[in-house]
Amino acid sequence: MYDETKKQHRRHLASAALLAAALVGGALAAAPAGAATPRSAEAASVAAQAASWPTVRSGQRGVDVTTVQLLLTARGYSTGADGVFGPDTVSKVKAFQRAKGLAADGVVGPNTWAKLIVTVRTGSRGNAVKAAQRQLTDNGYALTADGVFGSGTAAKVKAFQRAKGLTVDGVVGTNTWAKLVSGGGSGGGTVTLKFDKNPSDQTNSKLYVLRGSTVVASYRAGSGTREDECVRNKGWLPNGSYSIGMHSKTYNGSLIKGYVIRLADKKCTNGTSRTELFIHSEMTRTGGQGSIERERWTDRNPVDFYSNGCIKLRPNDIKALFKVLDQVGWPKTLKVVS
């Protein structure tokens, strides 16, 4: 029994050593122009982080998928960053795995993550930086994913590192990537929308994107022209939960066009049924600006934020909202509060 225990212990150590060597080799793989290579100390710790890496595979959606897609592109395997792990992403993952001597199963687990990540720091540019910025936003450290690692990104990285007990150096290396993609801030919570009505000014309310309890993004919004929620096509939306229906970038209704999110009908306190409810803006069917008032946003404060009982955003904000939801996943519910 003692000899067998020693053999098992030696086998365990040998396996750990092989895994560490494979992971370190991946972490030290050549990075694209503009990205620095990981430090050897960080690379050596990848094996210890193995349990932290999420497994991402075919059929999944969300920011971890987008991260995989952006990192594949950064590594030279151009992949559309739509946040959907479909056949093209599977194919690119397999090609990457074959090139790195990994089992080509199309599943992004610890070994694949270790070879896929790219260390980025101040001055870096490109898709790996975009991936880090999107992960930071998902973890509650909101940034514009512009692919430029400037002072703002460095500050958010340091804040994230401080909160996670990491070395606060502003560099997204192995340990920081492992914490980012393990869902540190949001914990992979359900994505929902919340509309918080402002009782003193209905044109200056807020629409929030939440993942779990974390605010991913927020936008100024308006709703209605009267506070009485039972006035059809005029009043604020009644408080409560709404199911979210279809969303479209090219909606062509008689009054509302372009980017829209459809909400379920709702009965207010006196039984009046509120119908034709949307999150929308003022734009043409193709998302541009037209000549008539309801298709042209002039930002005349607060006139453009009035709506016929829906939730209205600036054109650029509703486009930004769509991008965020494409990244983190589309919600099924909206909660209206005041």
Side-chain angles (χ1 to χ4, degrees), residues 244-248 251 260-263 278 330:
I244 293 176
M246 69 85 182
H247 60 273
S248 173
Y251 188 73
V260 303
I261 300 171
R262 182 64 187 265
L263 306 176
F278 295 90
W330 279 82

Short mmCIF file of all heavy atoms in Angstrom, two decimals, residues 244-248 251 260-263 278 330:
data_model
loop_
_atom_site.label_atom_id
_atom_site.label_comp_id
_atom_site.label_asym_id
_atom_site.label_seq_id
_atom_site.Cartn_x
_atom_site.Cartn_y
_atom_site.Cartn_z
N ILE A 244 -39.66 40.34 -22.62
CA ILE A 244 -39.08 40.99 -23.79
C ILE A 244 -39.28 40.08 -24.99
O ILE A 244 -38.97 38.88 -24.95
CB ILE A 244 -37.58 41.27 -23.57
CG1 ILE A 244 -37.42 42.32 -22.46
CG2 ILE A 244 -36.91 41.74 -24.86
CD1 ILE A 244 -35.98 42.61 -22.10
N GLY A 245 -39.82 40.66 -26.06
CA GLY A 245 -40.07 39.90 -27.27
C GLY A 245 -38.95 40.08 -28.28
O GLY A 245 -37.77 40.05 -27.94
N MET A 246 -39.34 40.32 -29.51
CA MET A 246 -38.35 40.42 -30.58
C MET A 246 -37.52 41.69 -30.47
O MET A 246 -37.90 42.67 -29.82
CB MET A 246 -39.06 40.37 -31.94
CG MET A 246 -39.91 41.59 -32.27
SD MET A 246 -38.96 42.93 -33.02
CE MET A 246 -40.22 44.20 -33.22
N HIS A 247 -36.35 41.68 -31.12
CA HIS A 247 -35.58 42.90 -31.30
C HIS A 247 -35.16 42.98 -32.76
O HIS A 247 -34.94 41.96 -33.41
CB HIS A 247 -34.37 42.96 -30.36
CG HIS A 247 -33.40 41.83 -30.54
ND1 HIS A 247 -33.53 40.62 -29.88
CD2 HIS A 247 -32.28 41.71 -31.30
CE1 HIS A 247 -32.56 39.83 -30.21
NE2 HIS A 247 -31.77 40.45 -31.08
N SER A 248 -35.08 44.19 -33.28
CA SER A 248 -34.77 44.38 -34.69
C SER A 248 -34.00 45.68 -34.88
O SER A 248 -34.21 46.65 -34.16
CB SER A 248 -36.06 44.44 -35.51
OG SER A 248 -35.80 44.78 -36.87
N TYR A 251 -36.73 47.71 -37.98
CA TYR A 251 -38.19 47.67 -37.79
C TYR A 251 -38.84 48.75 -38.64
O TYR A 251 -38.32 49.86 -38.79
CB TYR A 251 -38.52 47.89 -36.32
CG TYR A 251 -39.97 47.67 -35.97
CD1 TYR A 251 -40.50 46.40 -35.93
CD2 TYR A 251 -40.80 48.75 -35.68
CE1 TYR A 251 -41.83 46.18 -35.60
CE2 TYR A 251 -42.12 48.55 -35.35
CZ TYR A 251 -42.64 47.27 -35.31
OH TYR A 251 -43.95 47.07 -34.99
N VAL A 260 -35.36 48.62 -32.46
CA VAL A 260 -36.44 48.51 -31.48
C VAL A 260 -36.31 47.20 -30.70
O VAL A 260 -35.76 46.21 -31.20
CB VAL A 260 -37.85 48.55 -32.13
CG1 VAL A 260 -38.06 49.82 -32.93
CG2 VAL A 260 -38.10 47.33 -32.98
N ILE A 261 -36.81 47.24 -29.46
CA ILE A 261 -36.98 46.04 -28.64
C ILE A 261 -38.45 46.01 -28.22
O ILE A 261 -38.95 46.97 -27.64
CB ILE A 261 -36.07 46.07 -27.40
CG1 ILE A 261 -34.60 46.15 -27.82
CG2 ILE A 261 -36.32 44.84 -26.52
CD1 ILE A 261 -33.65 46.39 -26.66
N ARG A 262 -39.14 44.93 -28.53
CA ARG A 262 -40.57 44.84 -28.26
C ARG A 262 -40.80 44.34 -26.84
O ARG A 262 -40.14 43.40 -26.38
CB ARG A 262 -41.23 43.89 -29.25
CG ARG A 262 -42.75 43.74 -29.08
CD ARG A 262 -43.47 45.03 -29.35
NE ARG A 262 -44.87 44.96 -29.05
CZ ARG A 262 -45.82 44.69 -29.95
NH1 ARG A 262 -45.49 44.45 -31.20
NH2 ARG A 262 -47.09 44.68 -29.60
N LEU A 263 -41.74 44.98 -26.13
CA LEU A 263 -42.13 44.57 -24.79
C LEU A 263 -43.54 43.99 -24.80
O LEU A 263 -44.37 44.37 -25.63
CB LEU A 263 -42.09 45.77 -23.83
CG LEU A 263 -40.77 46.55 -23.76
CD1 LEU A 263 -40.94 47.76 -22.85
CD2 LEU A 263 -39.64 45.66 -23.28
N PHE A 278 -42.51 49.53 -26.76
CA PHE A 278 -41.18 49.31 -27.33
C PHE A 278 -40.12 50.08 -26.54
O PHE A 278 -40.42 51.07 -25.88
CB PHE A 278 -41.12 49.83 -28.78
CG PHE A 278 -42.00 49.12 -29.74
CD1 PHE A 278 -43.30 49.55 -29.97
CD2 PHE A 278 -41.52 48.03 -30.46
CE1 PHE A 278 -44.12 48.90 -30.88
CE2 PHE A 278 -42.34 47.37 -31.37
CZ PHE A 278 -43.64 47.81 -31.58
N TRP A 330 -28.90 38.45 -24.77
CA TRP A 330 -30.14 39.21 -24.78
C TRP A 330 -31.03 38.81 -23.60
O TRP A 330 -31.24 37.62 -23.35
CB TRP A 330 -30.87 39.02 -26.11
CG TRP A 330 -30.29 39.90 -27.15
CD1 TRP A 330 -29.18 39.67 -27.91
CD2 TRP A 330 -30.72 41.22 -27.48
NE1 TRP A 330 -28.90 40.75 -28.70
CE2 TRP A 330 -29.85 41.72 -28.48
CE3 TRP A 330 -31.79 42.01 -27.05
CZ2 TRP A 330 -29.99 42.98 -29.03
CZ3 TRP A 330 -31.95 43.28 -27.61
CH2 TRP A 330 -31.05 43.75 -28.58
#
